[in-house]
Amino acid sequence: MKPDLSQKFSKLFGQPATAAFFAPGRVNLIGEHIDYNGGLVLPCAITFGTDLLVAENKEGIFRFRSLDFEDQLDIPVQDGYTRKGKEWYNYPLGVMQQFLLNNKKIMGLDMLFKGDVPVASGLSSSASIEIVTAFALNETFNSGFTKLELVQLGKKVENDFIGVNSGIMDQFAVAFGEKEKAIELNCDTLNYKIVDCKLQDYVLAIINTNKPRQLSESKYNERVAECQTALKDLQKELKIDYLCAIDTATFNKYEHLIENETVKKRARHVIEENDRVKEATQVLASGDLTRFGQLLYASHASLKDLYEVTGKELDTIVNFCKTQKTVAGARMTGAGFGGCAIALVKHDAFDDFSKNLIKYYTEKVGYECAVYNSLIGDGVKRV
């Protein structure tokens, strides 16, 4: 338990914390915009995340406090909860609602959250809060959920309580992440395998564009619709349920079935990206970070040219990385239209890389990006 957080907890609640938990944020190393096409993703947990300290209280009240937000909430234990505006505490509140819907008993709890995942950056600060809350409640009240059930519960919070139509990758990576490992996850079946991901003398640079983030729902939904159109066209001759059921060689043989050229480009990205994930899993397991870096660059180029979801800010970051001998590879990560990029940067060169990138980016874009140095860390745990 971190001493400074323990002291703050005691000061806020007038009693010591009895348990501490941590859940990380996540990045998707490769495999973008294919989760809704039956494909594979390769996320990992990062070393930034959310700390949660708890202690039961005798008043039958849930008290939510955060060292990152001024908003706070005291709410009695009751039969059900509904969303309250857009405050951060809706995430733990939604978790409590899911426990109640599953007939789990919960009692009054003092809860102090502290996170260092940049909010609205695409690194899953929300999934981090959901999973750390669910894990803490499960442990505190012996609720008996498996880790996979907590993941599915977190997704329901996002979809049903918060109202965001997201997939399961974020919660899955936050819960199942392991130090120096990535997760090859089939978002459709939830089959997964843990993949060795030793970064050797590299670190994972996470670069936040700081672009005011309006994840373009309309653009996102447009891409989903274009993929569905491509699938219908291919189904004229192929018995497939989703685009990622075929590989690039098969697509090359049947792409003539797709009449619209834009739709054809979208499908090509999806299918080639799925093949890149498969290759990335193999090269990471063999420790070939040079080839892995090339796959990162290829992924970004495809997201830029075929899927058209990158934008000036993300392209500026990747263009800079290409000029640096100390960078093995880089790409946008997340949905695009802003958010974050990742880069594999030599550990010894990170400080110079960071300083020079911020200068270059500011000159090109007009405001600074933020650069973070992360390793691949553990999933949710008691600390």
Side-chain angles (χ1 to χ4, degrees):
M1 204 178 290
K2 295 177 181 175
D4 56 333
L5 288 184
S6 298
Q7 288 167 8
K8 281 170 181 159
F9 188 97
S10 299
K11 194 173 175 183
L12 279 168
F13 297 114
Q15 67 165 336
T18 53
F21 305 90
F22 174 80
R26 69 95 189 96
V27 294
N28 188 25
L29 294 171
I30 195 165
E32 220 63 76
H33 281 283
I34 55 174
D35 53 336
Y36 49 84
N37 289 297
L40 299 168
V41 291
L42 195 68
C44 65
I46 56 177
T47 42
F48 297 94
T50 308
D51 285 293
L52 169 59
L53 273 60
V54 304
E56 291 184 58
N57 64 53
K58 302 221 170 21
E59 291 92 333
I61 294 173
F62 275 91
R63 297 191 183 100
F64 297 121
R65 302 290 184 272
S66 169
L67 298 181
D68 310 305
F69 305 100
E70 287 183 13
D71 312 307
Q72 55 187 52
L73 179 69
D74 291 8
I75 193 165
V77 176
Q78 53 200 52
D79 294 336
Y81 300 95
T82 54
R83 182 176 166 179
K84 298 179 178 302
K86 293 186 175 180
E87 280 74 16
W88 68 273
Y89 50 67
N90 281 298
Y91 294 101
L93 203 59
V95 172
M96 285 159 51
Q97 172 66 0
Q98 283 298 322
F99 271 65
L100 293 172
L101 288 173
N102 283 278
N103 299 312
K104 303 296 184 185
K105 190 177 180 185
I106 53 178
M107 294 178 288
L109 211 58
D110 294 338
M111 308 175 80
L112 176 63
F113 293 82
K114 172 72 179 84
D116 58 3
V117 182
V119 176
S121 61
L123 300 177
S124 293
S125 55
S126 60
S128 183
I129 294 173
E130 288 157 4
I131 294 297
V132 80
T133 305
F135 192 85
L137 292 183
N138 197 44
E139 293 259 315
T140 303
F141 301 122
N142 297 312
S143 302
F145 285 116
T146 65
K147 203 184 268 190
L148 181 58
E149 286 168 339
L150 293 178
V151 166
Q152 292 165 323
L153 185 148
K155 181 179 183 290
K156 281 185 179 163
V157 173
E158 201 79 51
N159 298 164
D160 302 342
F161 198 85
I162 305 298
V164 175
N165 188 24
S166 56
I168 204 164
M169 175 183 74
D170 296 355
Q171 291 84 1
F172 204 99
V174 167
F176 284 94
E178 292 181 28
K179 187 178 179 182
E180 296 190 324
K181 309 277 186 186
I183 305 166
E184 187 191 76
L185 171 66
N186 183 316
C187 293
D188 185 42
T189 63
L190 297 191
N191 290 336
Y192 72 98
K193 65 180 177 186
I194 302 295
V195 180
D196 277 335
C197 192
K198 290 186 170 62
L199 298 182
Q200 299 165 31
D201 53 350
Y202 288 89
V203 293
L204 193 62
I206 300 169
I207 306 119
N208 189 351
T209 62
N210 285 332
K211 181 182 181 181
R213 189 99 193 278
Q214 305 102 8
L215 169 56
S216 179
E217 281 294 330
S218 60
K219 291 281 187 191
Y220 181 87
N221 293 337
E222 191 180 280
R223 295 296 178 277
V224 173
E226 286 164 344
C227 290
Q228 288 167 346
T229 301
L231 178 61
K232 278 181 192 153
D233 285 346
L234 291 170
Q235 284 170 334
K236 292 171 195 167
E237 291 187 26
L238 291 169
K239 288 185 178 177
I240 55 172
D241 293 326
Y242 45 83
L243 288 179
C244 291
I246 60 173
D247 60 12
T248 304
T250 307
F251 179 71
N252 290 341
K253 201 186 291 183
Y254 290 96
E255 66 174 319
H256 64 275
L257 295 171
I258 302 174
E259 294 163 16
N260 182 293
E261 285 303 315
T262 299
V263 169
K264 192 181 288 186
K265 278 164 55 176
R266 307 297 188 243
R268 178 168 290 282
H269 162 73
V270 166
I271 291 158
E272 290 181 350
E273 182 82 344
N274 198 50
D275 285 350
R276 274 189 287 273
V277 176
K278 292 174 187 172
E279 186 182 351
T281 299
Q282 293 172 342
V283 299
L284 277 175
S286 68
D288 186 354
L289 293 183
T290 301
R291 178 58 187 154
F292 181 63
Q294 291 168 350
L295 291 170
L296 294 184
Y297 281 136
S299 172
H300 186 86
S302 181
L303 288 157
K304 175 178 178 282
D305 299 329
L306 298 178
Y307 222 68
E308 299 179 83
V309 292
T310 59
K312 179 182 178 181
E313 296 81 6
L314 290 162
D315 291 341
T316 297
I317 291 165
V318 173
N319 289 341
F320 173 81
C321 289
K322 284 179 179 173
T323 68
Q324 305 299 299
K325 288 179 182 173
T326 56
V327 178
R331 73 174 197 93
M332 62 156 269
T333 185
F337 310 109
C340 282
I342 55 170
L344 269 188
V345 183
K346 287 277 189 181
H347 181 275
D348 294 346
F350 178 82
D351 290 344
D352 284 342
F353 166 82
S354 177
K355 188 172 63 185
N356 294 332
L357 171 57
I358 291 169
K359 182 172 180 285
Y360 178 87
Y361 182 89
T362 307
E363 285 169 2
K364 296 281 184 188
V365 176
Y367 52 85
E368 288 190 357
C369 59
V371 187
Y372 304 93
N373 174 347
S374 181
L375 296 171
I376 295 174
D378 283 321
V380 67
K381 59 187 176 183
R382 190 170 187 146
V383 291

